[in-house]
Amino acid sequence: MNQFMLDGKRIAYHDSGQGVPVVIVHCSSASHREWGSLGRQLKGDYRVLAPDLIGYGQSDGWPSDQPFDPHADVNVVIRLLELAGEPAHLLGHSYGGAVALEVARLHPH
């Protein structure tokens, strides 16, 4: 697993394959592992980036002494897009779909 720091939290993500980036965002109560089968299928043609959102998988949890930021997971995906270094496809399931939609709304490029 790769990782980066965002607002003092360690965010873990899986990065595999080569080609046009695809960022895939899991639902609540899941992790990047939700996408294991799809990621294996895509990595032959795409670079697959799959984060563990805040508090899931191997990412740090939300600090109990801080108010929750409703855009925190959106910021995780935006950071992954920055790491991808080029426009990417976004895919999400349930909560992850809502996160991906908000990212696309804020950053249509």
Side-chain angles (χ1 to χ4, degrees):
M1 290 290 289
N2 297 299
Q3 59 184 340
F4 59 86
M5 295 299 291
L6 182 67
D7 299 326
K9 290 173 249 2
R10 183 182 50 85
I11 305 299
Y13 68 99
H14 182 76
D15 185 348
S16 64
Q18 295 181 21
V20 175
V22 177
V23 176
I24 51 181
V25 188
H26 64 79
C27 66
S28 58
S29 72
S31 72
H32 76 280
R33 293 178 185 266
E34 173 184 17
W35 299 106
S37 178
L38 179 62
R40 286 187 294 276
Q41 292 175 40
L42 291 176
K43 74 178 185 178
D45 298 309
Y46 297 92
R47 179 180 178 197
V48 179
L49 298 153
D52 283 344
L53 297 176
I54 297 169
Y56 295 98
Q58 296 179 32
S59 290
D60 289 344
W62 193 264
S64 61
D65 63 341
Q66 293 181 10
F68 181 71
D69 176 0
H71 277 93
D73 288 326
V74 169
N75 294 336
V76 168
V77 175
I78 290 170
R79 180 67 181 125
L80 268 182
L81 291 171
E82 291 169 353
L83 290 172
E86 60 184 301
H89 299 284
L90 286 174
L91 175 67
H93 171 242
S94 190
Y95 173 71
V99 171
L101 183 62
E102 182 64 4
V103 171
R105 187 185 73 78
L106 293 172
H107 298 278
H109 58 282

